Amino acid sequence: MNPWYRRKVPKASSPRRFVLSAACASALLATTLTVPAAFADAPARAIDGSREGVTAQACASGIATYVHDVSGDEGVLRKFLDWDPLTGNATGALHDTGVSTPLDTYSRFFTGGHGIIYVVTDEGALKTYKDNTATGGSLLTPVRNYGGDWSTYATIVSGGAGRIFALRYTGSLDVFSIANPASGTGAITKVKTVAATNAAVIAMDRANDVWAVGSKVYTLRRGVADRLGEVKQWTYNETAGAAPFSADTVVVSRVGTKTFTGWSPGPGTFYTVGATPDYSGVASSYTGSGLTELANDDVGSGIHGDVHADIASCLASPSADAKPVLGSAPPEAPAPKAVTDTSPDPAPQNPAEFTGKFTLGDGSPAAGLPVRVEAIDVTSESTEEKELTTLGTAVTAADGTWKVSLPATLPADVRQAAAANGGAINAVAHVDGQTASRQLMRGTDFVVAAPASAPAMARALVASATEDDAPSKLRPVTDAMGEESPQPNEVQTAYSWASEDERNSLDTLGEQPLPEYQSDTSGIPQDDPYIVKGVDTKSMEIRPMDGGCDRTKSKIIDTQIRYTTVAEGHAAWDSKASVDYDSKLSSNVEIAVKTGSNWTIEGTATLGSAMSVTTGYTNKGPHYAKQWKVPIEYKKIKETWKCNYGKDTYYRYRIQGGKYKVPSGGVVGKYGKDVRNKDGSGAYYKSPHKHRAYVEPESFFQLSKNRSVKFGGAVSAFGVKLGASTQYDRDHRQRITAGKKTSHRHDIWGKNDKVDGKPGVFYSF
C-alpha cells in the first residue's frame, strides 16, 4: 500500500483508530489455523524461468497489475498487463488493457495472487473479489465479505503465499495466515505480532511504499534533497525461536526524490513509479542479481495511484511469437491489407472567405449585430502598440452566421504577413453589443482564409481549420473600465490546470474538448461567468453597442517558446513506428482569449511558416507509441479598444502561436506524451470493423494525406492549454513498419475512419 495515497485525509473528521477485540476477532476469523513451524518461499526460480522441481510451464507471464487511480473526481481501479515480467519488460511494456471499474477513493486494496483482490472499504470492512475479466467477467466479482474493521492498519500487503502483513498506525505489525488463498473465501487468522521496535517494522512505518513477494517484504523510501532513496529487502521467518525478520539488505539505491510507489509481479523483478522530477507516472523496472539492474526506464506511463500485481510464485517470459492479449484472443476477423495511397494530393477548395457564427451564452443566435474582421498577424513581430488592419465588415444573420470575403487587393501589411505564414491569413472577428441594462457583451472568433493564389498547403490548412469551426459565444466584459489586468509569472502559472496536465506523461485529453474556461493560476474555474452582479446575462437580448467599438490596437507583452504536439506514431508487438515532420510548419493551433477573469478558446491560427529543418523519430519499437513535439513561439498580446463613442476603454488579452523557433541550446523537436494506452488488444477489439486493416510482414504503411487527428492538449502556454492539429502531406507522415513474425497479423486501425480514408491517426495491435 502506497503511504502517499493511503494517508489521504479520510472522509471522517479525524483518523480512525480501532484495535481488534477478542469478540471482533472471533467474528472476523471463522476458523483457526495451526501456525506452521516455518514459512518459506516457493521453490527457487531457475535461470530459464523454471523452478526447481517445477516445470517451466508452471511459471507465469502476462501478470495482471492493478492501479487504484484517485486522480479524478472518483476512484477507479485500472488493469494493466505485465506481459514479460521475468525481464521487467526490457523490450516490452506494461499494457493498459482499457479495463477499469469504480473503486471508492477512500477504499484501499491489495492482492494475494490467484486473481484475488482484497479491498478494505472506507468503513474498514475487508472484502475479497475475483478478477474474471480474462473470461469476459467483472474486474471485481464479489467473493466474500469478512467485515470487521481494518482501519486500524496504515499499510496492508500480501506476498501471495498465504500471508498478510498489516502495519498498525501504532507501529506494530500483525501477520495473518489465509486458508485456501486461491479461493478468496478461506479463514484469516492472526499468527504473529512483531513489535514496533523491530528494525523491519520501523522501516515499514517510515517507508513511502511497502510490498511483498512470498516471505520477502520490501520497503521503498524516496530520496530527500540531493540524497538518493533506497529499496530494502526483509525476509520474514516463522521458525520457532528465530527472529521474525532477517537483517536488512539494500536492494537498489537509484530511487529519486519523487519515487513514491513500488510493486513486484513475483521474484526477481520489481517496478517503481515517479522517478522523474515531476511525478509524471512513468514506471521503471529492475531485475538481475540483487535486483540492482535497471531493465527499462519507461515500461509504462500515466500510472498514478496505489499499485499491486497479481503476484506469481515464479516468473517466465512469453513465447517469442506471442501477441500480448488479455484472456483468449477471438479468431482473426477478415480485414483488408493496408496499402499506402500514392496518388497526388487532392486539390483543396478555394477558402477565400471568413465565416462564422455568434450566439448568446445560452446558444441561441445573436442576430443583427455588426461584425468587424481584422488581420492579427500584422502585429505579430511588433513590440509597439499597433492598430489591426480591417479586412471587412458584416452583420450577423437571423441564425447568427456571418461571412466576409477577402478583399480583391490585400493591404500591403496583410500581404507581407501572409507570405511569412505560408500564404494563410489569420484574422479575428469581433461582435460588440450590450444588454438593456447596458452590460457590455463581446464575441470573438479567430478565423483563417487564403486567396486563390496561395500555395496548396495553405489552402488545405485553411480548409481543415474550418472543419472545426464552432459557434462563438458573446461573453460579458467584467473587467473594470480602463484598468489593465495583472499578469501572473511562470511560478504562478505552474499551479494552473494546464501546467499540471502538461507534467503528466500520459495523453489524458486526446480528442476531448478542452474546458470552456481555464484559469492561468489554478484549477478549472467553477463559477458562472455570465452571472454579473447577481444577474444571469446568458439569455438576455443583446443589441448593438451605442456608438460601437473602434478598431483594435494590440501590443506583445510577453513571449514563450513551448514544445507543441504535432504528430504521433504507434507500433505494438513486432513493429516499428516513424514520424516525419519536415520542411515547414503545417499545423492549426488554437487561440485563447481572456475576457474577464478566465481564458476561453475562440478559434485557431494556421501556422504555415518555413522551418528549414527535419524533425521526428524513426523505427521506434516494438511496444512504442509517443507523440512528437516541435518548438513554437507563443505570444501574449494585450488588446485595447474603445466603445461608446470612445468614452470607455477596455483591455483584453490573447495567447497566439507563431513561428517555429528553437530555444537557445534547445532541441529541434522532442518526444511528447505516451499514447501506448490507445494500442493493443483491448482497444483493437473495441474498434469498428470497417476501420481495421493489416500490414504484411517486412512491409510498411503510412499516412501522408488528410488532416491529422486533433490533439486536445497539444501545449500549455502561459498556464493555458491549447489544442492543435496537423495536415498530412509528403513532408508530414505517420508510418508503421511490420517485423518478420508471421504467427499473427500486424493489425492496425484508423481512429476516425478506415486507414485509406480519413483516419486522422492509426493505432497498432
Side-chain angles (χ1 to χ4, degrees):
M1 178 65 64
N2 183 345
W4 189 61
Y5 285 91
R6 81 185 183 212
R7 286 169 182 166
K8 284 182 176 286
V9 178
K11 293 178 182 177
S13 59
S14 60
R16 291 166 297 185
R17 296 289 186 267
F18 183 85
V19 179
L20 287 174
S21 65
C24 184
S26 176
L28 173 65
L29 309 174
T31 60
T32 302
L33 299 181
T34 302
V35 178
F39 177 66
D41 284 331
R45 182 190 62 172
I47 293 176
D48 64 357
S50 65
R51 294 179 297 165
E52 297 174 6
V54 181
T55 62
Q57 286 80 5
C59 296
S61 63
I63 302 294
T65 302
Y66 308 96
V67 180
H68 187 199
D69 190 337
V70 296
S71 60
D73 294 334
E74 302 292 336
V76 175
L77 187 68
R78 299 169 55 201
K79 181 175 180 178
F80 288 75
L81 185 64
D82 190 342
W83 185 241
D84 187 9
L86 178 65
T87 69
N89 288 281
T91 59
L94 287 168
H95 299 276
D96 188 340
T97 66
V99 174
S100 64
T101 193
L103 181 60
D104 182 76
T105 298
Y106 294 94
S107 293
R108 297 178 290 162
F109 89 105
F110 61 97
T111 55
H114 315 286
I116 301 299
I117 299 172
Y118 296 79
V119 173
V120 178
T121 68
D122 185 34
E123 290 74 28
L126 179 65
K127 298 181 179 181
T128 52
Y129 297 86
K130 176 78 172 183
D131 176 5
N132 287 325
T133 55
T135 56
S138 171
L139 179 57
L140 290 178
T141 304
V143 175
R144 177 173 176 178
N145 183 357
Y146 286 92
D149 191 334
W150 289 66
S151 62
T152 186
Y153 296 109
T155 300
I156 310 174
V157 298
S158 173
R163 291 295 181 274
I164 293 174
F165 301 96
L167 179 70
R168 292 181 179 272
Y169 281 104
T170 54
S172 61
L173 179 75
D174 288 341
V175 182
F176 296 88
S177 66
I178 311 168
N180 192 15
S183 70
T185 61
I188 298 176
T189 306
K190 186 166 73 173
V191 297
K192 184 183 287 289
T193 296
V194 185
T197 55
N198 182 275
V201 177
I202 292 173
M204 293 179 209
D205 186 57
R206 293 176 177 175
N208 293 98
D209 206 0
V210 180
W211 67 93
V213 178
S215 64
K216 303 290 193 302
V217 177
Y218 296 87
T219 57
L220 180 156
R221 192 169 187 186
R222 69 182 181 90
V224 178
D226 58 348
R227 294 171 52 194
L228 291 174
E230 61 187 8
V231 174
K232 292 185 177 182
Q233 172 184 287
W234 311 81
T235 301
Y236 172 67
N237 195 341
E238 283 182 1
T239 303
F245 284 98
S246 63
D248 64 280
T249 303
V250 175
V251 177
V252 64
S253 59
R254 291 188 290 265
V255 180
T257 59
K258 298 296 183 180
T259 305
F260 288 96
T261 304
W263 74 94
S264 176
T269 300
F270 77 89
Y271 299 83
T272 62
V273 165
T276 52
D278 51 17
Y279 190 67
S280 59
V282 176
S284 301
S285 62
Y286 297 85
T287 60
S289 176
L291 299 178
T292 58
E293 297 176 13
L294 178 64
N296 191 335
D297 63 356
D298 187 5
V299 72
S301 295
I303 300 175
H304 298 283
D306 191 17
V307 187
H308 294 279
D310 189 34
I311 306 166
S313 58
C314 76
L315 302 175
S317 288
S319 166
D321 288 335
K323 221 177 179 184
V325 176
L326 173 64
S328 299
E332 290 181 337
K337 184 192 305 183
V339 179
T340 299
D341 186 357
T342 58
S343 63
D345 290 337
Q349 298 296 312
N350 178 22
E353 61 184 17
F354 301 104
T355 60
K357 179 179 180 179
F358 285 107
T359 71
L360 306 183
D362 62 3
S364 58
L369 298 176
V371 180
R372 181 191 297 271
V373 179
E374 299 171 312
I376 60 174
D377 288 337
V378 297
T379 61
S380 62
E381 300 303 315
S382 174
T383 57
E384 302 296 325
E385 187 173 61
K386 184 175 181 180
E387 193 171 76
L388 298 184
T389 301
T390 298
L391 293 172
T393 60
V395 176
T396 57
D399 61 354
T401 60
W402 60 272
K403 178 170 63 176
V404 171
S405 297
L406 277 174
T409 301
L410 293 173
D413 56 354
V414 176
R415 197 165 56 246
Q416 182 179 356
N421 194 43
I425 299 170
N426 293 304
V428 60
H430 294 297
V431 166
D432 303 295
Q434 60 187 5
T435 66
S437 59
R438 303 187 66 80
Q439 169 62 50
L440 175 59
M441 308 291 288
R442 169 160 265 215
T444 306
D445 189 9
F446 290 90
V447 290
V448 294
S453 59
M457 173 52 64
R459 288 182 284 139
L461 272 170
V462 171
S464 67
T466 58
E467 292 178 10
D468 292 328
D469 274 355
S472 297
K473 297 178 181 179
L474 273 75
R475 307 178 194 274
V477 177
T478 56
D479 284 344
M481 182 181 66
E483 292 186 10
E484 299 184 37
S485 298
Q487 299 303 306
N489 57 38
E490 288 204 45
V491 174
Q492 294 169 313
T493 59
Y495 292 95
S496 72
W497 168 82
S499 299
E500 291 285 345
D501 183 79
E502 194 73 5
R503 289 190 284 270
N504 193 328
S505 62
L506 196 69
D507 180 21
T508 59
L509 295 172
E511 292 184 86
Q512 300 178 36
L514 292 170
E516 185 171 4
Y517 298 97
Q518 297 184 52
S519 166
D520 52 12
T521 58
S522 62
I524 301 300
Q526 302 299 316
D527 57 318
D528 186 345
Y530 283 94
I531 305 297
V532 181
K533 297 179 180 179
V535 178
D536 190 345
T537 63
K538 68 172 61 71
S539 300
M540 285 186 173
E541 180 183 357
I542 300 176
R543 63 191 184 193
M545 169 70 64
D546 289 345
C549 296
D550 67 5
R551 294 165 62 180
T552 308
K553 295 181 180 179
S554 70
K555 179 181 180 180
I556 298 170
I557 59 174
D558 201 357
T559 61
Q560 288 182 349
I561 298 175
R562 290 291 183 262
Y563 284 84
T564 305
T565 301
V566 293
E568 68 181 46
H570 293 264
W573 191 49
D574 180 34
S575 59
K576 304 283 187 180
S578 299
V579 164
D580 296 321
Y581 197 85
D582 301 350
S583 301
K584 56 186 175 297
L585 283 180
S586 181
S587 296
N588 296 310
V589 181
E590 291 176 331
I591 296 178
V593 172
K594 187 175 183 181
T595 301
S597 59
N598 299 316
W599 293 88
T600 59
I601 302 299
E602 301 286 8
T604 63
T606 291
L607 310 183
S609 56
M611 288 171 53
S612 301
V613 297
T614 298
T615 71
Y617 57 79
T618 302
N619 291 334
K620 302 292 290 186
H623 308 297
Y624 189 90
K626 291 265 188 182
Q627 294 178 338
W628 186 249
K629 309 177 83 170
V630 298
I632 292 175
E633 184 177 53
Y634 290 86
K635 298 179 174 68
K636 181 183 283 188
I637 299 170
K638 182 186 74 174
E639 298 179 347
T640 305
W641 30 282
K642 295 180 180 292
C643 301
N644 190 19
Y645 303 102
K647 297 177 182 178
D648 302 330
T649 301
Y650 294 94
Y651 299 97
R652 189 185 60 184
Y653 302 86
R654 78 172 185 263
I655 298 170
Q656 176 185 343
K659 290 184 177 180
Y660 171 88
K661 189 173 184 179
V662 181
S664 177
V667 295
V668 299
K670 67 179 182 179
Y671 297 105
K673 291 180 180 285
D674 190 297
V675 284
R676 284 176 289 192
N677 62 317
K678 300 178 182 180
D679 292 330
S681 61
Y684 177 76
Y685 293 123
K686 293 177 182 177
S687 68
H689 285 268
K690 66 178 182 178
H691 291 190
R692 300 176 187 173
Y694 71 93
V695 184
E696 288 194 325
E698 299 185 81
S699 69
F700 73 88
F701 172 78
Q702 71 180 23
L703 285 183
S704 54
K705 280 189 178 68
N706 299 317
R707 186 175 63 88
S708 165
V709 68
K710 184 175 182 178
F711 305 105
V715 66
S716 176
F718 300 102
V720 178
K721 184 71 74 171
L722 308 174
S725 61
T726 294
Q727 182 75 23
Y728 285 128
D729 61 15
R730 62 185 180 182
D731 296 316
H732 308 88
R733 300 180 295 267
Q734 177 195 355
R735 173 186 289 206
I736 186 171
T737 303
K740 298 180 180 180
K741 294 180 181 179
T742 58
S743 57
H744 299 279
R745 286 190 324 218
H746 295 79
D747 293 294
I748 62 173
W749 70 100
K751 166 62 180 174
N752 300 322
D753 192 7
K754 57 185 181 179
V755 297
D756 59 351
K758 292 187 177 182
V761 67
F762 65 82
Y763 306 132
S764 171
F765 166 47

